[in-house]
Amino acid sequence: MRMQKNEVVLFQGDSITDAGRSRDNLRDLGHGYAHLVAAQLGAAYPELNLQFVNRGISGHRVPDLLGRWQEDCLDLKPTWVSIYIGINDTWRRYDRDDPTSTEQFEQGYRELLTRTTQGLDAKLILLEPFVLPHPADRKQWREDLDPKINVVRELAREFGALLVPLDGLFAQASMRAESAYWAPDGVHPSPAGHALIARAWMEAIQA
């Protein structure tokens, strides 16, 4: 799926997308996978004048995205909308006793995609949330996260979005190096982990 001239790629999500971006410089892409994708596509297709925008915010869940979707997505008029959300919808169940049910997650995520398809002529790319079993307590998160991963897959199919299958990808990578190599806390990727995400993102769009 080739990029066209003057396309605008929006990266949305939580801390993994945020990746330390500056709030004072709206062009800052952080130091994670969004930055890596922009660097690689920009170098590969300089003639296309691609633009990249990062609006990931650390700690956010699906309801948070819904609350700022007009300002941080629709008003920006992107031609690509990349959404990477879900791990905090699971994490808050375990650290704050503030769960998001699978049904709430699906309803909110579907509303995001519906508003996007109705308000924009944009291509969608959805990234699965993942968790690795390090530290060991992350193993119990699977009962909460796995149904949400399935929701992302089903919504990608329903809305004709591209899917970046990160959960299996990180599990596979952990056969080559221990889980902590890819994500020291099981959630936030290392530089190598971000590179893994960027490569999978590029493969999804066949860049």
Side-chain angles (χ1 to χ4, degrees), residues 51-62:
Q51 298 179 59
F52 301 91
V53 182
N54 186 346
R55 289 293 184 274
I57 295 182
S58 182
H60 272 200
R61 296 185 273 183
V62 163

